[in-house]
Amino acid sequence: MDFLTVSKYICQVCLSMQIVWALDEVTLLNPPAEALPDQLLEILYSCDEPATVQLDCVVSFDTGSTSTLLLKRWSCSPGDPKIRTVKLNLPDWLVYQDDGIISDSDWVLSCLLRASVRYSGLRDTVTAQDVATLQPKPFFSRPVKQCQLCVDWGMQMLEISQQFVQKQCPMEKETLDFLSLIFASTGENFGITRTLDPYRSEALEYLRGQAFASPWCMFTVWIFVTKHCQEALCGVFYHIDSYNDYSTPAMFLTQSGQLHVQLTGASEESSAFLSPFKVPVGQWCRLSLTLQGRIVSVSTVCMDGGQRTVKSIEHVCRHNVVLDDTEGYFVIGGGNYVKGIEGYFGPVTYFRNGISPHNSHEVVLPDVIKSVNLTGWLQMCQEFSAEMSVKITGYSLKAKQRTESSKVCFDVLHEWLVEERLPSGSKCEQWESAVPHRRSAATLAKSLASKYGGRTVSLSAVGRALYSLSLHKLSRASSSSVVSRILPLLLQAGCLADNQALYTSSVLFSAGLGVRRQPAKAWLLALLAAQGDDRLALLHLGHLHQQGLHGLPTDPDLAFAYYANIAKQTTLDRHNHKAQQAFVEAIYLNNDEDLNLQTNEDHHIFQWLKLQARQGAAEAERTVARMLFWGQQGVSPNIQEAARHYRRGALQWQDPASMYDYGIVLLQGHGVEQDVPKAVMFLRKAMDQGFVPAINALAWYYEQYEQDYKQAVQLWEQADLLDSPEAALNLGVMHSRGLYPGKPSSQYMAYKYYLRSAERGHIRGAVQLADVWITGIPGLVHRRPSDAVLWTKWAAEHNGYLGSILRKAMDSYLKNNMFSSLLYYMMAAEAGFAAAQFNVAYLCEEKMGGLLDPVYTSQCMWRFYNLTSQSQNPNTYAFIKLGDLLYEGCEDSQRDLLSAAQMYTRAALRNNPQGWYNLGVLTQEGYTLPLSVLIELGLSDLYLADNNSLLSALYKRCRDSDNDSFLPCSMALFSVYLQSFQKDYSAAVKYSMAVAVVAAPTLLLLILGVLRGRLLSVN
C-alpha cells in the first residue's frame, strides 16, 4: 500500500468519526447541586448507531485516590434525541450518616456526575459526554437512612441510646475565641494561657499539617493601654513552643509604644520588625496580625469617641514562616518570661485557616466592651480629677498664704489696705464652688490642705480620706437605705485611684445591698480595682470566672490569671509581714466554740495566756507570740512584741519551736535587727532537739548564704523523709534550676516534689504545682487548668489582706455593729471565701433585725447559702437552710420537696443529724423519698417498705450521728414505735372483735347444748 492510499484511508476514518461525534449527544438537563438520596435526573441523549448510555459518579478522596461508580446504563437506538428520567442511586456512604449499618467513608473532596455515549468494541469508545459537579453534604448535615432491615437487639439498643440519637458534629471551629471577655492586666508576670488540640477530622488535620511552613491565618487582639511599657518589652500575645522558646507569632509592646513582632522559621531561623506607628494610651485598639506565607501584615484600628484611626504595615520575611498551633501554648499578657502590659485586654480571636472577611473600616467595638463602658468611666473620672486638682491647688495656696502671713507682723494700716482690696460680700472664689454631691470631697481637700500647711496634697490622699469617711458613715448606718446616699462618696474615692473604694462599690452593686443590683457595673468596678492590683478584687474576679457568675461563662484559664497573681503575692506577703495583714481564720458565726476563743489584748483569755507564759509554759509562750505576730484570734499584730516572746521562749524555756521561730525572725529581721550568726545558732539548737522545720531552715541558710548546695540538699532530703512540706518544695526548686548536685535540670522531677509539697499543705508548693499544671510538661504531664485553679485559689485565700477584712468583720460582730460586720463579710464573700459567704447568709437570717428589707433578706439567705453549698468544704448548716427555703418556697416560687430532700440528704451524708431528722419529717408528712435519695443514703432496700420501717431507719441514724442529737432523735424514734404499736394494737382489737362477732352465735349454741345436756342428765 503506497503513501497516497494510506493517507486517503486515514482521512476517511477521521471524517467518519467526525460525523459520528457530530450526531452523538448526551446532556444532563437538571443536575442536582448536592448529593441527596432518591433524586430524579433527566438526561437528553441521541446516537447515530446502536450504542450505550452510561451514568457514572466519580469521587475523589483526601487520600489522593479516585473511585468511579456505575449508577445506570441503558441502550441507545439511532433516531431522534430522547429524554430519559433516572433515579440517582448514589451510594449510602455518600448521602447518609454513619449509623452502625451504613459505614463511614474516607473524607470526600469532590464528586462528579458524568453521562456518556459509548460504543463497544475492543475498547469502549466515548463519543459524547456531559459532566456536572455534585457537592457532598457535610457528614453531620446528612439525613439518617430509615433502614428497612431487621436489626439485631444490640443495634436496637444503639439506636435508642442518647449518644446515637443526639449525635452531633464535633467542634471543629475555624474561628477560635482565645478571650471573649475583658481581662485586667496589672503589668506583671500574669496572663491567660491557651492551648489548641489537633483536629479530630483526619482530613482537616492533614490540611493543617500541610500548612505548617506556609500558614494562612489571622490573629486579632483588643487592648486598652493605661500606661506605656516600663520594661524593654511587654507581652501582648505570643506563642511558646515545647522547648520554652518564643515561636510564631510573638507580639510585644515597646517602651515607646511600638509593636515588636517576632516570627520563627524551619531551621531555627527567626526575624523581627517594629511597627512605625504606636499604640496610643487610653483608647481601645484592635491589633491584627495576618500571616500569608512569608508576608506578615500588622494593623491597628483605634477608637477615640467617634473617631477611628487605622494604621498598618506589611513585612516580607526572608525565610518561610512556620506555625504549628498545637505545639506549646499561647499567652495573652504576662507570663513566666515577660511582663504584660498595664491596661485591659478585650476579645482575642484566632482565624485558624483563613483571614477575617471584615476590613479595617468595618471594625466595630465588641459588645462586651460596649456593655462595660470603660472609656465612659475614665472620662468622667478625668473630669472629676481635674476639678479636684484645681480645688487642691487653690486651697493649698490659701493655706500657704495663711501660714506665711502668720509668721510676719503687719501694722494696722497694712491690714486695712488688704481688707479694702477684697471684694464685698462672700470671699469664696469661683473655683471653690461645688455641686452638692461633691461638697464632701471639696471639704476634705480643704481640710487636708490646711492640715499640711499648704504643702502639696495628692489626689490619692483625698481618695483615701473619702474612703475612710464612707466607711465611717456606713458603720453608723441604721438601715440599708443609707447606702445609696454614701455610694457617690465611694465612687468619687475610686475615681481618685483608691482601689479599696472601687472594690467596695463593686461589692454593693454585685450584692444589691441598699442599691439596685447591677452586675455589669459591679464587673467594671472590679476590673478597675484589679488593674490597680487590689487583692480582694483579684480574688473576686478569679471567683467570678471560676464559677461563671453574673451570666459570665466559666473560664478556668482566665480565673487562673487572677488567682495566680494574688497567690504569688501571698507568698511574698507572708515573708514581708506587715501590721495591715492578719491571719486568715475561717470562723463560722454559728460555731459558739470558735467565737468563745476570740479575744484581744485586754481580754481575760489573752491575759491568762501571758500569765502562763511568764510562769514557764512553753506552749502558752508560743501561742502568745503567734497571736501577736500574725494577728490571730482578735489580737492586733505586734511583730516587735511577738519577737520578744519568741526570744523568751528560746532563751529561758529552751523550747525548740520558739528557738526556730526566733531564729527565723533574726534571719529575716522581722521585729528585730537582722543577726544571721545568732539565727543559725538557734536553728542548730532547735535541729539538735529534732525540730524538723529547723532542719529545713538551716538548709535554706546553706543554699542562700554559703552556696553549699550539697549540704543544703542533704539537709532537705533528711527533712523530706520527715514529711517537711518546705523541704519538698526546695528540692523541687533545686531540680528545676539544675542546682541539685550530680543531676541535670529536670522539670519533671521538680513537678513531683512540688506535688508532694502541695499535698503536705505548703502555699508556695501549691503555687509552683499550679504553674506546671496550667501549661503542662510535653510528653510527661498533661495540662490541668481546673486543678491549677483550685490550688491557686487555696493559696490565694491565705492572703493577709483578706485576713484583715475578716478580722474587721469579726470585731464588728463582737461589738454588735451588725451592718458593718455584714459589709466586711460581704467583701470577703464576693471574693469567694466560703466562711464569709456563710456568715453573710447567717447575718441576714439571724442578726440584722430591721436593718434590711424583708425581700432582700430572703434573697440574701438564698444566694449566699447557695454559694456556700458549692464550695469545696461546705458547712452542712447551709444545706439545712437551703432545704428549709426550698421546703417553704423561696423567692415567690412554689415548694420544691424533691430539691429540699436532696439538700437534707447532702447534710445527712456529712453526718449532720438535722438532715436525717428533716428527711424523717418529710416522710411523716406523706412525701415519698425518691429511690435516688434512698440509694445515696444506703436505704434502697426500704423503697417499697412501709413508712414506719423507713422512719425507724432515719431516726436511728439521726440518733447515732451525734451525742447532742441523741435525745430529740430518740424521742422521734419512740414516737414512731408508739404509732406502730398503736396501729398494731388497734388492728388486734378490731380483729378480736370480728372474731368475737363471728364466733358468738356458735359459742352460744354450744353453751346452750351443754346446759341442755346437763338438764337432761339431771332429769
Side-chain angles (χ1 to χ4, degrees):
M1 188 181 295
D2 58 7
F3 178 76
L4 291 175
T5 305
V6 172
S7 301
K8 183 179 178 181
Y9 176 75
I10 291 174
C11 289
Q12 288 177 348
V13 170
C14 292
L15 182 61
S16 63
M17 292 179 66
Q18 269 187 328
I19 294 173
V20 170
W21 287 342
L23 295 176
D24 293 343
E25 179 186 6
V26 63
T27 305
L28 299 171
L29 297 179
N30 59 337
E34 293 182 324
L36 296 173
D38 301 330
Q39 294 185 101
L40 297 179
L41 177 65
E42 294 182 348
I43 302 175
L44 174 70
Y45 65 96
S46 65
C47 55
D48 186 57
E49 295 181 5
T52 302
V53 181
Q54 183 169 311
L55 180 63
D56 298 314
C57 179
V58 183
V59 182
S60 300
F61 301 97
D62 65 330
T63 56
S65 61
T66 303
S67 178
T68 302
L69 309 171
L70 175 62
L71 301 181
K72 198 75 173 177
R73 179 185 291 169
W74 65 93
S75 61
C76 174
S77 301
D80 296 331
K82 305 177 184 65
I83 296 177
R84 185 180 181 108
T85 301
V86 298
K87 191 177 189 179
L88 275 181
N89 292 319
L90 296 172
D92 288 345
W93 50 261
L94 185 60
V95 293
Y96 293 112
Q97 289 191 32
D98 175 15
D99 60 359
I101 297 174
I102 299 172
S103 60
D104 197 5
S105 69
D106 293 330
W107 186 271
V108 177
L109 292 181
S110 64
C111 181
L112 299 176
L113 278 180
R114 182 180 65 189
S116 60
V117 176
R118 297 170 177 266
Y119 288 91
S120 59
L122 294 178
R123 292 184 180 179
D124 281 352
T125 304
V126 178
T127 59
Q129 70 175 6
D130 191 17
V131 176
T133 301
L134 196 63
Q135 182 65 39
K137 287 182 71 67
F139 177 78
F140 289 96
S141 298
R142 301 177 189 176
V144 177
K145 186 174 183 180
Q146 303 299 319
C147 299
Q148 303 298 321
L149 299 173
C150 295
V151 296
D152 58 11
W153 178 85
M155 187 56 62
Q156 291 178 1
M157 294 299 101
L158 178 64
E159 288 179 354
I160 65 175
S161 68
Q162 194 75 6
Q163 182 179 2
F164 177 81
V165 173
Q166 297 185 356
K167 192 171 184 181
Q168 296 178 356
C169 178
M171 295 298 292
E172 303 280 19
K173 296 178 66 175
E174 296 297 300
T175 302
L176 303 173
D177 292 323
F178 279 170
L179 179 63
S180 58
L181 302 173
I182 296 178
F183 169 58
S185 176
T186 59
E188 299 170 282
N189 297 90
F190 308 107
I192 304 168
T193 303
R194 300 293 193 197
T195 57
L196 295 179
D197 295 323
Y199 286 117
R200 279 173 278 183
S201 164
E202 295 181 2
L204 289 178
E205 184 60 19
Y206 171 79
L207 294 175
R208 189 185 71 84
Q210 294 295 311
F212 281 173
S214 183
W216 190 279
C217 59
M218 182 177 182
F219 300 86
T220 63
V221 183
W222 282 92
I223 63 170
F224 186 100
V225 180
T226 56
K227 184 188 295 185
H228 279 311
C229 181
Q230 303 300 303
E231 308 289 329
L233 294 174
C234 290
V236 176
F237 180 81
Y238 49 93
H239 185 195
I240 302 293
D241 64 16
S242 54
Y243 299 99
N244 292 326
D245 293 326
Y246 289 116
S247 185
T248 303
M251 187 159 49
F252 307 94
L253 200 64
T254 66
Q255 290 179 333
S256 62
Q258 295 172 282
L259 288 172
H260 172 96
V261 180
Q262 187 170 314
L263 308 144
T264 55
S267 304
E268 297 185 359
E269 298 175 293
S270 63
S271 59
F273 63 92
L274 284 174
S275 66
F277 49 83
K278 299 179 180 180
V279 177
V281 173
Q283 296 180 26
W284 277 110
C285 295
R286 194 199 76 162
L287 315 180
S288 63
L289 187 150
T290 304
L291 300 176
Q292 296 173 290
R294 293 188 178 189
I295 302 174
V296 184
S297 302
V298 178
S299 67
T300 62
V301 181
C302 296
M303 311 287 191
D304 185 12
Q307 295 183 348
R308 177 197 309 267
T309 305
V310 180
K311 296 181 179 180
S312 62
I313 181 179
E314 190 174 277
H315 177 79
V316 180
C317 297
R318 292 173 296 178
H319 55 81
N320 288 333
V321 177
V322 175
L323 170 60
D324 180 1
D325 57 15
T326 63
E327 184 194 20
Y329 55 92
F330 294 90
V331 179
I332 303 168
N336 293 329
Y337 311 108
V338 66
K339 292 183 178 181
I341 65 165
E342 291 190 51
Y344 304 88
F345 285 91
V348 178
T349 307
Y350 173 31
F351 299 89
R352 199 170 187 182
N353 286 322
I355 298 171
S356 171
H358 304 292
N359 60 42
S360 300
H361 297 283
E362 297 176 345
V363 174
V364 296
L365 278 176
D367 291 338
V368 66
I369 294 178
K370 292 179 182 177
S371 65
V372 170
N373 194 18
L374 174 66
T375 52
W377 166 269
L378 293 177
Q379 288 172 2
M380 181 188 69
C381 286
Q382 188 175 5
E383 294 172 3
F384 177 66
S385 299
E387 178 185 339
M388 292 305 300
S389 295
V390 172
K391 294 183 186 303
I392 289 172
T393 303
Y395 288 134
S396 298
L397 286 173
K398 279 194 170 186
K400 187 175 181 181
Q401 290 170 1
R402 285 195 298 271
T403 303
E404 292 176 350
S405 63
S406 63
K407 297 178 182 179
V408 181
C409 294
F410 296 103
D411 55 18
V412 177
L413 177 61
H414 181 273
E415 292 179 359
W416 178 81
L417 290 173
V418 171
E419 290 179 1
E420 283 294 314
R421 294 193 190 100
L422 291 174
S424 59
S426 174
K427 296 184 179 180
C428 290
E429 299 186 31
Q430 186 176 359
W431 56 265
E432 294 184 79
S433 62
V435 293
H437 64 276
R438 294 182 178 179
R439 284 176 185 164
S440 295
T443 303
L444 283 174
K446 184 176 182 179
S447 300
L448 288 173
S450 299
K451 178 181 178 180
Y452 292 109
R455 295 195 302 274
T456 303
V457 177
S458 65
L459 289 172
S460 59
V462 178
R464 288 192 297 272
L466 273 172
Y467 180 59
S468 299
L469 176 63
S470 304
L471 291 183
H472 176 69
K473 290 188 174 183
L474 285 172
S475 66
R476 300 168 61 186
S478 57
S479 69
S480 59
S481 60
V482 177
V483 174
S484 60
R485 298 196 296 270
I486 299 175
L487 185 59
L489 298 181
L490 286 171
L491 295 175
Q492 290 167 20
C495 268
L496 299 180
D498 191 282
N499 295 319
Q500 295 181 54
L502 287 170
Y503 178 66
T504 305
S505 305
S506 171
V507 168
L508 295 175
F509 280 118
S510 178
L513 180 61
V515 294
R516 183 170 62 88
R517 194 162 179 262
Q518 300 183 51
K521 193 157 190 177
W523 187 29
L524 165 65
L525 295 168
L527 286 168
L528 291 163
Q531 202 281 321
D533 215 20
D534 182 80
R535 288 163 173 78
L536 288 181
L538 292 168
L539 266 176
H540 168 70
L541 290 174
H543 174 63
L544 197 70
H545 296 297
Q546 183 205 13
Q547 298 291 332
L549 303 176
H550 299 336
L552 300 177
T554 57
D555 190 339
D557 289 316
L558 181 53
F560 178 85
Y562 290 120
Y563 277 135
N565 189 331
I566 187 171
K568 291 187 179 179
Q569 288 190 73
T570 299
T571 62
L572 299 174
D573 290 342
R574 291 173 71 87
H575 286 286
N576 300 288
H577 191 62
K578 297 179 181 178
Q580 294 84 358
Q581 303 177 51
F583 189 79
V584 177
E585 297 174 284
I587 301 171
Y588 292 85
L589 295 182
N590 68 332
N591 191 327
D592 292 334
E593 185 177 343
D594 285 345
L595 290 175
N596 291 333
L597 292 176
Q598 299 308 303
T599 181
N600 55 52
E601 292 82 353
D602 300 323
H603 197 272
H604 67 274
I605 294 179
F606 187 70
Q607 295 300 324
W608 179 80
L609 285 171
K610 291 180 71 174
L611 176 62
Q612 293 293 309
R614 286 194 296 270
Q615 293 177 353
E619 185 175 353
E621 193 78 79
R622 290 198 305 271
T623 303
V624 170
R626 172 177 49 81
M627 292 167 70
L628 287 167
F629 190 86
W630 294 106
Q632 290 180 334
Q633 295 177 232
V635 177
S636 299
N638 188 332
I639 298 175
Q640 289 78 13
E641 184 67 21
R644 284 192 285 271
H645 282 278
Y646 285 140
R647 183 177 184 276
R648 185 166 64 184
L651 292 175
Q652 294 187 23
W653 318 131
Q654 295 294 304
D655 175 46
S658 295
M659 290 179 182
Y660 165 76
D661 290 327
Y662 188 52
I664 292 297
V665 298
L666 285 170
L667 196 62
Q668 298 182 345
H670 287 162
V672 294
E673 186 177 348
Q674 187 179 29
D675 190 335
V676 175
K678 187 184 288 187
V680 172
M681 179 190 71
F682 280 106
L683 291 174
R684 288 189 186 279
K685 288 183 178 181
M687 185 183 72
D688 292 340
Q689 296 188 43
F691 194 68
V692 177
I695 303 174
N696 180 78
L698 272 176
W700 183 83
Y701 163 76
Y702 279 112
E703 187 248 340
Q704 290 290 322
Y705 288 89
E706 303 289 341
Q707 281 76 50
D708 188 346
Y709 301 133
K710 184 176 180 180
Q711 181 66 23
V713 165
Q714 182 179 350
L715 290 171
W716 275 325
E717 292 284 8
Q718 179 185 345
D720 181 50
L721 294 175
L722 298 172
D723 293 333
S724 168
E726 195 158 358
L729 165 71
N730 289 319
L731 287 171
V733 172
M734 298 296 281
H735 279 289
S736 175
R737 296 179 179 176
L739 299 177
Y740 197 106
K743 294 185 180 180
S745 173
S746 172
Q747 299 304 317
Y748 181 68
M749 285 298 297
Y751 158 73
K752 293 171 69 175
Y753 279 107
Y754 294 152
L755 178 60
R756 188 181 304 175
S757 175
E759 289 175 342
R760 292 173 182 173
H762 197 277
I763 294 175
R764 192 176 162 210
V767 174
Q768 295 290 350
L769 173 66
D771 279 346
V772 175
W773 273 348
I774 199 64
T775 59
I777 301 177
L780 297 172
V781 179
H782 291 295
R783 190 167 176 265
R784 299 168 61 176
S786 296
D787 292 331
V789 168
L790 292 178
W791 278 113
T792 49
K793 174 180 169 65
W794 174 80
E797 288 183 346
H798 286 78
N799 190 271
Y801 291 91
L802 173 63
S804 177
I805 292 292
L806 293 171
R807 173 46 46 197
K808 291 176 181 177
M810 178 55 67
D811 288 343
S812 298
Y813 179 80
L814 295 175
K815 294 174 183 177
N816 209 32
N817 188 345
M818 295 304 166
F819 193 85
S820 183
S821 179
L822 176 68
L823 177 62
Y824 284 121
Y825 273 130
M826 200 167 275
M827 292 168 69
E830 290 291 338
F833 193 66
Q837 291 171 342
F838 177 89
N839 290 343
V840 168
Y842 185 80
L843 284 171
C844 288
E845 177 191 4
E846 300 283 347
K847 302 293 183 181
M848 297 311 295
L851 292 176
L852 299 179
D853 178 76
V855 175
Y856 182 79
T857 298
S858 176
Q859 295 173 349
C860 170
M861 291 168 55
W862 170 251
R863 178 171 182 245
F864 286 100
Y865 276 138
N866 190 32
L867 288 172
T868 306
S869 69
Q870 298 173 29
S871 60
Q872 284 184 276
N873 187 24
N875 188 304
T876 55
Y877 183 83
F879 295 131
I880 299 297
K881 296 309 299 183
L882 278 176
D884 292 346
L885 291 171
L886 291 164
Y887 174 82
E888 296 167 1
C890 59
E891 294 190 358
D892 299 329
S893 61
Q894 295 181 349
R895 298 173 68 190
D896 188 349
L897 297 184
L898 173 60
S899 298
Q902 291 172 340
M903 287 297 160
Y904 294 145
T905 299
R906 293 178 68 180
L909 292 174
R910 286 168 173 79
N911 213 32
N912 187 307
Q914 188 70 49
W916 294 108
Y917 187 88
N918 289 2
L919 287 171
V921 172
L922 283 176
T923 305
Q924 280 187 306
E925 291 182 354
Y927 177 71
T928 302
L929 295 180
L931 180 59
S932 59
V933 168
L934 294 177
I935 290 174
E936 283 190 79
L937 296 172
L939 300 174
S940 57
D941 55 327
L942 297 177
Y943 180 60
L944 298 177
D946 63 285
N947 269 6
N948 285 338
S949 300
L950 178 57
L951 286 170
S952 298
L954 292 172
Y955 288 137
K956 281 180 181 178
R957 295 199 180 185
C958 173
R959 178 196 64 189
D960 299 337
S961 60
D962 191 351
N963 292 332
D964 294 337
S965 63
F966 182 84
L967 183 59
C969 296
S970 298
M971 293 296 293
L973 185 61
F974 177 73
S975 174
V976 172
Y977 286 154
L978 190 61
Q979 290 176 8
S980 179
F981 173 75
Q982 184 179 3
K983 180 180 177 182
D984 295 341
Y985 178 75
S986 300
V989 170
K990 291 178 181 179
Y991 178 76
S992 301
M993 292 295 292
V995 170
V997 170
V998 173
T1002 306
L1003 290 173
L1004 182 60
L1005 291 174
L1006 287 174
I1007 293 171
L1008 291 175
V1010 171
L1011 291 175
R1012 185 181 178 187
R1014 287 184 178 180
L1015 288 174
L1016 291 174
S1017 64
V1018 171
N1019 291 333

